[in-house]
Structure formats: C-alpha cells, structure tokens
Amino acid sequence: MFIVGRKLFDKIHKRKMHSHHNHEIHFMAREMDWLPKGIESLADGSYEPRCLKRYYFSDEMVDQLHISDRIFQHILLRILKPTFKYVMNQNCYHLDGPTGVKNATQKIREVLQKEQPKYFIRADIKSFYKSIPHHKLIQDIKKYYDDQKLIGMLENIIKNPIDSPYGYKNPDHGIALRGPLSQFLSGIYLKPLDDAFNQADVTYLRYQDDILILCKTNRQLNRCKRRMMNVLQERQLRLSKRKTRIGKIESGFHFLGIAYPPTRTVDNTSTTPVNNGVITEPTQAQNLNKWGVLLIKHRRLRILFRIREHCAKHANKSNGWSPMVSLARRSNAILLDGYAGG
C-alpha cells in the first residue's frame, strides 16, 4: 500500500509542481511521515479524514478533499474493488472505470440492433450526490459488508464535516462529488434500483445518476416507470424534469453524451422536372410563381407582383405584341431583380 500511495502522491505532485511556493503539496513532499502513518491507520481501522473544504463558485459549490485524504481513499477503493463483482449490479457501468461509457454504448447498440425495442425512459436524478441521506447509506453498507473496521472508516468518510466560509457544518445529507469513493457510494445507494430490474424483460443501464430503460411494449414502459418512481421515492430521490425523457425510440434519444438517431425514415427529397431523361433545376421564375406569395415580404415587391399578374391576365387576351405584354415583361424583370436582391 505504501508503494501505491507513493505513486499517487508523485502523480499529484508532478501536476502541481508549478503551484505557489507556499502550497501544501511542497511541504508534504519534504516530509513524508504522513504517508506511512495514514496507511497504518487504514490497516487498523482508525482512519479519520480531515474536514472537507467547501468553495463557492458562480455556477456550483465544490467540496474538496485534502490531498492526503484523496490518496488514502484511493487506496481504500483499491481494497474494495475485488468485492464489486459480488456486491454491485452488473448494469451499473460507471464502476467499470474509463471503459464504462464504451461498454454501455456497445450494450445499447446491440440491443437496438437485435431486440429492436420501441420505447425508452431516459432519466436523470436531480442533485443526486447532494440528496443522499447518510443514515440510509450507512445502513446499506452494513447490509453488504460485515467488517467493522471498514464500516467505521466509511462512516467517518460519509459523515465528514465541512469547513465552509460560513463556519463548520455537519450535514446529514450529501457526499463529496469528486471524491475517490463517490462512485462506490453512489453504486451502493442505488443498488435497490438496479436490482429492481433484474427480472424484468427490459434493458436497464445506469451510469451514476443517468438511467436508461429500453422497453418493447407500452405496457412494459408504464410498469417500469411505476417501479422506478417507487424505488426513488423510497430512496428519497427525485427526477430532474429538464433532463428526463420518455418516448419512442424511432424519434431518437441520447445517453451519456451520445445521440442515437431516429430510426423512422423521413422523405425530405424534392422533385424536379425531367426533360428527356435529364434532370433540370427549376428556374427562378418557376420558384417565384410557386412560392412568391410566401417569400415576398416587402411591400414594393408585393405591389410589383400584383402588377405582373394583372398585366399577364390582359396580355393573354390579345394576339401578338401589345403594350400589356411589354409592361408584363418589364414588371416581371423588376420583380425578379427585387427578389434576387432580397
């Protein structure tokens, strides 16, 4: 564990090498006594993290871990990873690491190609990490793990106080969003939702707080919607109205930043006249005759359009040349020039 911790610290130190000379990373690099002491506390179960540091920005609020706590929790995550295949649901893809999005995308494409479902539920949980109650999360951890040392350390991490500009806080909801154990804790907390769709004849995928359910019939769609809402209500969570979509797959949908195009074919082609097997584009005058009423917006062009129609009507009654024919041609030329100029 010491070697793993040393590699993690060297990686962080290299990234922050050009930071301010009073940055704590430089003091930690000079004195490495904190690393073996922290690893020893992980081994005997006495590890307690430092307070989270809360920062407020214009668009978000961030709770930041201390550098040493980030390293120790990374080590703890490596200890827990072998248990994922026995505890976590296989439809929880964010625990696969960097390949999670790729695996989920491949799964979706295979299902769309082979099973051809007709309906989808694309749900997003509103303020997921901030809404997780501590007491329920600790109960779930005790349900799947029986090591008292591990439970005690995870409980200290979950109930970690926050040092904010407005004083110290001890919230009973929420976990650190960008912590090394945040994905593990979110997977534990939403495991009842993952397990609820194990026996259902639908395709269920989840990546952190993003949920996708592919159904074959409208009856399955309604049943999955009720089941999902019941579990989320029991978990004290709500869906985001802005990011949640329910509809037909033929109209297209997106998941994890990847857009799946509509499967319904739409004929947007326009027909053009054919002369002796050669396709010719319609002339400007033909387009004007067809769409002139809709395209002409200016008052001057509308007046010229009426003059042309009036002159053409009277010119057709006479044979050969007439003043009306000349006036119709002149107004038509002016109209086309005005149409081309906008």
Side-chain angles (χ1 to χ4, degrees):
M1 287 192 295
F2 180 82
I3 297 175
V4 174
R6 181 70 189 191
K7 288 182 179 179
L8 290 172
F9 177 76
D10 292 340
K11 185 177 180 180
I12 298 174
H13 188 207
K14 184 178 180 180
R15 189 170 65 248
K16 296 182 177 293
M17 185 176 296
H18 301 288
S19 57
H20 193 268
H21 63 276
N22 285 333
H23 197 281
E24 58 184 350
I25 191 71
H26 303 302
F27 296 99
M28 295 174 66
R30 298 190 191 102
E31 299 290 339
M32 296 296 296
D33 296 340
W34 56 270
L35 184 57
K37 292 180 181 179
I39 293 175
E40 184 179 354
S41 65
L42 289 175
D44 58 19
S46 61
Y47 167 70
E48 291 186 5
R50 299 189 185 185
C51 295
L52 293 171
K53 192 73 174 179
R54 174 165 290 181
Y55 297 95
Y56 292 92
F57 299 95
S58 58
D59 56 343
E60 64 176 345
M61 177 185 65
V62 178
D63 294 334
Q64 187 176 11
L65 285 168
H66 191 264
I67 297 175
S68 60
D69 292 324
R70 185 172 295 275
I71 293 173
F72 296 145
Q73 292 182 24
H74 265 294
I75 296 174
L76 187 59
L77 179 63
R78 294 200 176 195
I79 298 173
L80 289 170
K81 269 190 176 181
T83 65
F84 286 179
K85 59 182 178 180
Y86 304 105
V87 176
M88 300 299 180
N89 193 289
Q90 62 180 357
N91 295 321
C92 186
Y93 283 88
H94 68 270
L95 296 174
D96 294 345
T99 61
V101 177
K102 180 181 178 181
N103 296 337
T105 304
Q106 291 178 351
K107 176 68 174 179
I108 294 172
R109 288 175 177 171
E110 290 177 1
V111 172
L112 292 177
Q113 184 178 4
K114 296 180 180 180
E115 301 182 7
Q116 296 182 355
K118 295 183 179 180
Y119 303 93
F120 74 91
I121 300 176
R122 194 268 187 218
D124 184 274
I125 301 175
K126 183 178 181 180
S127 303
F128 173 51
Y129 289 94
K130 297 179 182 179
S131 304
I132 298 178
H134 292 170
H135 67 282
K136 280 184 171 290
L137 181 57
I138 294 172
Q139 289 176 1
D140 294 337
I141 293 174
K142 293 179 179 179
K143 181 179 178 181
Y144 300 110
Y145 294 94
D146 56 0
D147 189 348
Q148 297 301 321
K149 294 181 180 179
L150 176 63
I151 294 174
M153 289 188 292
L154 292 176
E155 187 172 354
N156 292 333
I157 293 172
I158 294 170
K159 294 183 176 181
N160 196 9
I162 300 174
D163 181 12
S164 69
Y166 307 102
Y168 284 89
K169 298 182 179 180
N170 289 286
D172 56 357
H173 284 70
I175 58 176
L177 175 59
R178 296 177 177 87
L181 294 173
S182 59
Q183 295 184 357
F184 162 73
L185 297 176
S186 65
I188 285 285
Y189 191 70
L190 280 183
K191 191 177 186 303
L193 179 63
D194 302 336
D195 296 340
F197 291 93
N198 282 340
Q199 304 300 327
D201 189 19
V202 297
T203 301
Y204 170 87
L205 302 94
R206 183 173 68 85
Y207 193 95
Q208 294 183 4
D209 58 343
D210 294 322
I211 303 167
L212 179 66
I213 305 174
L214 303 178
C215 309
K216 298 178 182 178
T217 62
N218 192 20
R219 184 177 180 181
Q220 287 182 345
L221 179 71
N222 295 328
R223 189 185 300 119
C224 292
K225 184 168 60 174
R226 289 194 300 267
R227 186 177 301 179
M228 180 180 65
M229 296 306 298
N230 291 335
V231 176
L232 292 179
Q233 185 177 5
E234 187 273 331
R235 297 275 90 184
Q236 299 181 8
L237 299 173
R238 294 184 301 168
L239 291 179
S240 173
K241 295 181 180 179
R242 185 172 61 89
K243 298 180 181 180
T244 301
R245 296 289 183 273
I246 299 175
K248 294 184 178 181
I249 292 180
E250 64 180 10
S251 61
F253 65 96
H254 73 278
F255 185 66
L256 300 179
I258 299 174
Y260 298 88
T263 58
R264 178 176 52 193
T265 58
V266 181
D267 187 9
N268 292 325
T269 59
S270 58
T271 59
T272 55
V274 179
N275 185 14
N276 296 327
V278 180
I279 300 177
T280 59
E281 294 293 333
T283 62
Q284 190 176 14
Q286 291 173 341
N287 286 332
L288 185 63
N289 289 334
K290 186 176 181 180
W291 306 106
V293 178
L294 298 177
L295 296 178
I296 296 175
K297 299 180 181 179
H298 301 290
R299 183 178 180 183
R300 175 173 171 269
L301 295 180
R302 287 202 301 269
I303 294 174
L304 289 174
F305 186 85
R306 293 175 183 174
I307 293 174
R308 195 203 69 162
E309 293 292 329
H310 178 73
C311 295
K313 179 179 178 181
H314 289 278
N316 291 334
K317 296 181 180 179
S318 61
N319 296 326
W321 181 89
S322 69
M324 287 294 182
V325 175
S326 178
L327 183 59
R329 291 176 180 174
R330 290 174 58 190
S331 61
N332 191 23
I334 296 173
L335 182 61
L336 291 178
D337 292 340
Y339 173 73

